[in-house]
Amino acid sequence: DSGNCHSSPALYAGYIKKNTYAIHTRHHQNLKTAFPPHLDKPSSCYNISMIDAHCHLNFHSFENDLDQVIQNARQVGIRKIINVGTQVSSSQLAVDLAEKYDDLYASIAIHPHHADKINSGQTSPQNWLNQLQKLATHPKVVSIGECGLDYFSYKSNGIVEPKIQKEIFLAHLHLASKFKLPLQIHTRV
């Protein structure tokens, strides 16, 4: 019976991954799904805690219901959340949210699809790196990422020149090494 505390923890974890706040889901609407009544307080049934190691609560789609999304996550056993930046601005917002919520942490970086936009409106080519270095000193920054290489062509963006992606990725590797932080690497096969 999947409706009580004697259900398999693996089935429960599969249910979470498919239907509610998950370890890493690409479907923002799933993050907002309330946990079903027949699994009222699942984390207390199995006495488990989870860490969401990669989410984007700093994206615009969560502006109006961020508090509710975080509350939903807590209710299903998510105890820590690592909010991931993809640009300097979203990295800064990840840090700002980490300051606001005790259980949120930040990962900071430039996503490979933004690698060709890092200097738009900035005064120098290294300004983005200086800004990330400053953010990396924050005590709630726990990793460098989401960085990496991605040669998938999006309609809105196309493919960022591989040479630029590689240069930006190498800068992230040096940044992680300098601050002794792990990397969250974006990969697409």
Side-chain angles (χ1 to χ4, degrees):
D1 178 354
S2 64
N4 62 43
C5 292
H6 302 291
S7 301
S8 159
L11 288 176
Y12 163 69
Y15 187 88
I16 289 175
K17 186 162 183 114
K18 182 177 177 190
N19 294 304
T20 193
Y21 196 87
I23 297 304
H24 182 187
T25 180
R26 294 182 182 276
H27 306 288
H28 293 296
Q29 67 273 16
N30 286 352
L31 296 174
K32 299 176 182 183
T33 304
F35 212 75
H38 71 281
L39 293 175
D40 186 24
K41 294 190 179 183
S43 61
S44 64
C45 293
Y46 298 112
N47 194 26
I48 59 173
S49 296
M50 293 179 279
I51 296 173
D52 184 334
H54 187 119
C55 70
H56 297 285
L57 298 178
N58 46 346
F59 283 9
H60 295 295
S61 57
F62 295 104
E63 286 177 346
N64 297 324
D65 59 353
L66 178 62
D67 290 330
Q68 185 60 53
V69 171
I70 292 171
Q71 185 59 37
N72 290 351
R74 290 172 181 153
Q75 288 175 354
V76 297
I78 306 290
R79 298 295 173 246
K80 305 287 182 195
I81 299 171
I82 301 174
N83 205 11
V84 179
T86 59
Q87 301 178 62
V88 171
S89 59
S90 63
S91 293
Q92 178 65 61
L93 185 53
V95 171
D96 294 345
L97 291 172
E99 289 177 344
K100 182 178 178 181
Y101 297 94
D102 289 340
D103 47 357
L104 259 64
Y105 294 85
S107 185
I108 59 168
I110 307 297
H111 187 283
H113 284 162
H114 299 294
D116 60 344
K117 299 167 193 68
I118 56 172
N119 295 320
S120 56
Q122 298 176 358
T123 57
S124 72
Q126 290 301 309
N127 195 26
W128 70 272
L129 187 55
N130 292 336
Q131 291 174 336
L132 288 185
Q133 286 179 2
K134 182 179 177 186
L135 290 174
T137 65
H138 193 283
K140 292 194 80 177
V141 171
V142 296
S143 66
I144 303 298
E146 173 175 8
C147 58
L149 305 173
D150 192 335
Y151 304 135
F152 180 79
S153 181
Y154 286 98
K155 289 180 184 177
S156 63
N157 197 55
I159 299 173
V160 173
E161 175 64 40
K163 181 181 177 196
I164 294 172
Q165 288 190 48
K166 289 175 186 175
E167 289 172 1
I168 300 304
F169 184 46
L170 283 173
H172 283 95
L173 295 175
H174 292 295
L175 183 65
S177 177
K178 178 179 180 175
F179 289 95
K180 298 183 181 3
L181 290 169
L183 286 164
Q184 283 205 21
I185 297 177
H186 172 87
T187 60
R188 185 181 308 272
V189 181

